[in-house]
Amino acid sequence: MERKSHMADTEKLLIIGSGPAGWTAAIYGARANLSPVVYVGVPKQNPAPILPGGQLMLTTEVENYPGFPEGVSGPEMMGLFQKQAERFGTRVVGQDITACDFSKRPFTLTASDGSTVQAHAVIIATGATADWLGLENELRLAQMGGGVSACAVCDGALPMFRDQPLAVVGGGDSAMEEASYLTKFASKVYVIHRRDELRASKAMQQRIFDAPNAEVLWNKIPIDVLGDEKCEGVRLKDTQTGEESTLEVKGLFMAIGHTPATQFLDGSGIDLTDKGYINLGDRTSNTNIEGVFAAGDVADADYRQAISAAGMGCQAALDAERWLAAQGIE
Amino acid sequence: MERKSHMADTEKLLIIGSGPAGWTAAIYGARANLSPVVYVGVPKQNPAPILPGGQLMLTTEVENYPGFPEGVSGPEMMGLFQKQAERFGTRVVGQDITACDFSKRPFTLTASDGSTVQAHAVIIATGATADWLGLENELRLAQMGGGVSACAVCDGALPMFRDQPLAVVGGGDSAMEEASYLTKFASKVYVIHRRDELRASKAMQQRIFDAPNAEVLWNKIPIDVLGDEKCEGVRLKDTQTGEESTLEVKGLFMAIGHTPATQFLDGSGIDLTDKGYINLGDRTSNTNIEGVFAAGDVADADYRQAISAAGMGCQAALDAERWLAAQGIE
């Protein structure tokens, strides 16, 4: 493949990723006259769509991003973020970054079209993706806001789920937390788990066992989601007997894990946690490599909200700007 | 003073402060059915106005809060935050918290009317205030968006400051950083300092000495700000000779420090840094006292932005919710 450079000059600030963290870093970087360039990525399918703009592009209604009391759709919100970043001079490149050479400065990054670009500072804001079962109706209903979701904290408080029977798929701490959260709204919460014991900590398990409106369905896997426009139920298969059954629920929440988008950092020397998240050692956005910063879900296994990711994007841009200034690059 | 209680029941989640961090914590807390109560504070003057809603109530135009590409006024933005928090069931009390007893749970807090309230979990989001000189015209122009500001990163990129002569008051690292930031936009940046040497680190000083459009004015203090509706200049007095002079600038930026609002925590046992900020030991919102969390500028001497404070508010609410659930309080 022919190797070319998108621009002759070395970028001051290159941002990888275009969710809340990436665009917020761009707004701050642009206002600091760093003329940032954002690599927004190309659309993918794995198994759910992965779009420029990130996880919010699959979110119909965002009620908890402060500033929008009536709610806002995920794609609309990301459009506003991008417009604001572009207003101050952010440039946008419709490519993924596929490889990073952080061994010498300025850094050299390779884009998905084979081109390379050099940058003095890099902010990694590539996010994470929820893990899905990969069922056709699961993804279709999730995309249309039809009651299938991978985030109870984001979506659980929506009116459509109030006083309805709901189900959570998973057996870890996150699944227990999502299920426990949903018990506040739902008439009943089923936890669907493929094995006969939970991976969650004892304390988290106990919260579910103690909840009067929660019930664990052991040795079950979902094999289909029922409903044309809204989730009407889930078809289950028993992993021991093979027996199939139907569970009538109005909402289905996946809690089988998240995968941070850090595969492109293989060999880059960036420190990752054992789950693949970028390791930020302190309260800054500094990675272990000077001049490389991270923000948003790619460095956050705990909170994973639009507003917390945006806050981290702001921090990363300010950290990058201070570091660039200390290097005499302004 | 008669001691009474606002409500008979113990609050699940009590939030102190009503800036971006406090309201975001309330939005998340309310959506998690914790029925939070926010103590928004009472208006004060010290010397600039301190209002429910925080520092943004004195900010005419916010251009860097993601989601508002055309900008939004600070008070309008805080109104939207409050509306969103109230929509999900947040209650609002127009009192300050003046004392905290965190020695036993549930915690007991005293309000400015002498009443007490008990709470299982507390989020401290009382913010910080910029230090001001206390000149009459300084505060008047700051409030009307007339070119006087205590935050170059917030306001420096506004069109009114482009290619204009500006001045920064201060001699520490923050003052050098603000001045350095402004050199990107201004025709000239004067640093007004009352002594004959700077308190800032050598590296930060060097950035100003090296900037072709920056100049330090030694041994000078501002004694008046000129201009009826917009800053037209600043009247200076030499601290050695007493001589007065006029410096023509279109913007004046205070960088003489910030004071976190933590005085009411005296004797509460909450760990503070040597500058009075709440000490968060790790990447969570946990203070050293279990069940007490902090968010926003009161725990952040470094970033101090609306969006980063809001992100911290979200984290504090999620931390509080998880902690309450682990205590069996839901």
Side-chain angles (χ1 to χ4, degrees):
Chain A
M1 190 181 286
E2 189 196 7
R3 294 177 75 82
K4 58 191 156 91
S5 180
H6 276 122
M7 32 302 265
D9 291 337
T10 299
E11 297 290 341
K12 285 183 202 160
L13 177 60
L14 186 148
I15 297 164
I16 317 174
S18 54
W23 289 127
T24 303
I27 291 168
Y28 272 81
R31 283 171 58 86
N33 266 9
L34 296 174
S35 183
V37 59
V38 177
Y39 277 65
V40 297
V42 294
K44 285 174 277 293
Q45 194 95 14
N46 179 35
I50 299 175
L51 299 174
Q55 295 170 77
L56 283 167
M57 300 303 285
L58 305 179
T59 307
T60 40
E61 185 76 1
V62 181
E63 287 192 327
N64 56 11
Y65 183 82
F68 295 87
E70 315 300 337
V72 58
S73 82
E76 187 187 344
M77 183 173 142
M78 286 301 90
L80 292 170
F81 275 48
Q82 174 166 357
K83 190 173 166 196
Q84 195 165 348
E86 290 183 328
R87 175 184 165 199
F88 297 112
T90 298
R91 289 160 300 134
V92 173
V93 176
Q95 296 286 327
D96 281 319
I97 292 294
T98 55
C100 301
D101 180 357
F102 293 140
S103 65
K104 60 177 188 296
R105 299 202 296 253
F107 306 124
T108 302
L109 298 98
T110 306
S112 40
D113 66 357
S115 64
T116 61
V117 54
Q118 293 207 306
H120 288 296
V122 172
I123 293 175
I124 304 167
T126 44
T129 48
D131 297 334
W132 297 86
L133 298 167
L135 305 173
E136 190 187 326
N137 280 334
E138 169 202 26
L139 298 172
R140 189 178 56 80
L141 287 166
Q143 275 171 263
M144 61 195 289
V148 176
S149 161
C151 182
V153 172
C154 315
D155 301 327
L158 292 175
M160 65 187 294
F161 298 122
R162 298 263 165 167
D163 301 314
Q164 300 292 335
L166 307 175
V168 172
V169 185
D173 276 343
S174 282
M176 296 311 108
E177 188 179 315
E178 307 247 311
S180 169
Y181 185 89
L182 292 175
T183 58
K184 303 176 189 180
F185 310 107
S187 59
K188 174 97 188 195
V189 176
Y190 299 96
V191 175
I192 301 169
H193 187 52
R194 60 185 165 166
R195 297 190 298 135
D196 60 0
E197 58 181 350
L198 299 167
R199 197 174 64 250
S201 62
K202 292 288 171 216
M204 296 295 287
Q205 294 188 25
Q206 202 57 48
R207 280 166 60 182
I208 294 306
F209 297 152
D210 288 350
N213 61 339
E215 180 183 346
V216 182
L217 303 179
W218 305 101
N219 303 314
K220 298 282 184 297
I221 52 168
I223 52 171
D224 195 11
V225 187
L226 309 176
D228 288 336
E229 302 203 332
K230 292 190 183 307
C231 172
E232 302 290 344
V234 54
R235 191 84 186 142
L236 299 177
K237 184 175 178 176
D238 191 294
T239 54
Q240 310 271 314
T241 65
E243 197 182 334
E244 297 190 7
S245 59
T246 296
L247 179 70
E248 285 186 14
V249 289
K250 299 297 186 188
L252 182 64
F253 293 85
M254 300 303 142
I256 53 176
H258 284 79
T259 304
T262 49
Q263 298 83 342
F264 72 104
L265 294 172
D266 280 356
S268 70
I270 292 285
D271 235 22
L272 303 181
T273 69
D274 55 1
K275 299 220 162 144
Y277 290 87
I278 294 175
N279 202 12
L280 300 178
D282 53 21
R283 291 193 73 85
T284 71
S285 67
N286 300 335
T287 67
N288 60 310
I289 296 180
E290 211 181 288
V292 182
F293 308 87
D297 287 15
V298 74
D300 172 21
D302 292 323
Y303 303 109
R304 295 194 292 242
Q305 301 298 303
I307 186 66
S308 56
M312 293 175 81
C314 160
Q315 296 176 343
L318 293 177
D319 286 338
E321 195 224 333
R322 288 168 186 167
W323 182 82
L324 284 167
Q327 310 300 309
I329 301 162
E330 306 202 40
Chain B
M1 189 180 288
E2 188 195 7
R3 294 177 74 82
K4 58 192 156 94
S5 179
H6 276 123
M7 33 301 266
D9 291 337
T10 299
E11 297 289 341
K12 284 184 204 161
L13 177 61
L14 186 150
I15 297 165
I16 317 174
S18 53
W23 289 127
T24 303
I27 292 168
Y28 272 80
R31 284 171 58 86
N33 265 7
L34 296 174
S35 183
V37 59
V38 177
Y39 278 65
V40 297
V42 293
K44 286 172 279 292
Q45 194 95 13
N46 179 35
I50 297 175
L51 300 174
Q55 295 171 75
L56 283 167
M57 300 304 284
L58 305 179
T59 307
T60 39
E61 184 75 2
V62 181
E63 287 192 327
N64 56 12
Y65 183 80
F68 295 88
E70 316 299 338
V72 60
S73 84
E76 186 187 345
M77 185 172 140
M78 286 303 89
L80 292 170
F81 276 48
Q82 175 166 356
K83 190 173 167 198
Q84 195 165 348
E86 290 183 327
R87 176 185 164 198
F88 296 112
T90 298
R91 288 160 300 133
V92 173
V93 176
Q95 295 286 327
D96 280 319
I97 292 294
T98 56
C100 302
D101 180 357
F102 293 139
S103 65
K104 61 176 187 299
R105 300 199 296 250
F107 306 124
T108 303
L109 298 98
T110 306
S112 40
D113 66 358
S115 64
T116 60
V117 56
Q118 293 206 305
H120 289 295
V122 172
I123 293 175
I124 304 167
T126 46
T129 48
D131 297 334
W132 297 87
L133 297 167
L135 306 173
E136 189 188 327
N137 280 334
E138 169 202 25
L139 298 172
R140 189 178 54 79
L141 286 167
Q143 277 171 262
M144 61 196 289
V148 176
S149 161
C151 183
V153 171
C154 315
D155 301 327
L158 291 175
M160 65 186 294
F161 298 122
R162 298 264 165 166
D163 301 315
Q164 300 290 338
L166 307 174
V168 172
V169 185
D173 275 343
S174 283
M176 298 308 110
E177 188 179 315
E178 306 248 312
S180 168
Y181 186 88
L182 293 175
T183 58
K184 302 176 190 181
F185 309 107
S187 59
K188 175 100 188 195
V189 177
Y190 298 96
V191 175
I192 300 170
H193 187 52
R194 61 187 165 165
R195 297 190 298 136
D196 61 0
E197 56 180 351
L198 299 167
R199 198 175 62 253
S201 63
K202 293 289 172 214
M204 296 295 288
Q205 293 189 25
Q206 202 58 48
R207 279 165 62 180
I208 294 306
F209 298 152
D210 288 348
N213 62 339
E215 179 182 346
V216 182
L217 303 179
W218 304 101
N219 302 314
K220 299 283 184 297
I221 53 168
I223 53 173
D224 195 10
V225 187
L226 309 175
D228 288 336
E229 304 204 330
K230 289 191 184 306
C231 172
E232 301 289 346
V234 55
R235 191 84 185 143
L236 299 178
K237 183 176 179 176
D238 191 295
T239 55
Q240 310 270 315
T241 65
E243 198 181 335
E244 296 189 7
S245 60
T246 296
L247 180 69
E248 286 186 13
V249 288
K250 300 297 187 188
L252 182 64
F253 293 83
M254 300 302 142
I256 53 177
H258 285 78
T259 303
T262 49
Q263 297 84 344
F264 73 104
L265 294 172
D266 279 356
S268 71
I270 292 284
D271 233 23
L272 303 180
T273 69
D274 54 2
K275 301 219 160 144
Y277 289 87
I278 294 175
N279 203 11
L280 302 178
D282 54 21
R283 293 193 70 87
T284 71
S285 66
N286 300 335
T287 68
N288 61 310
I289 296 181
E290 212 181 288
V292 183
F293 308 86
D297 287 15
V298 75
D300 173 21
D302 292 322
Y303 302 110
R304 296 195 291 243
Q305 301 297 303
I307 186 67
S308 56
M312 292 174 81
C314 159
Q315 296 174 344
L318 293 177
D319 286 339
E321 194 223 335
R322 288 168 185 168
W323 183 81
L324 284 167
Q327 310 300 308
I329 303 163
E330 308 203 38

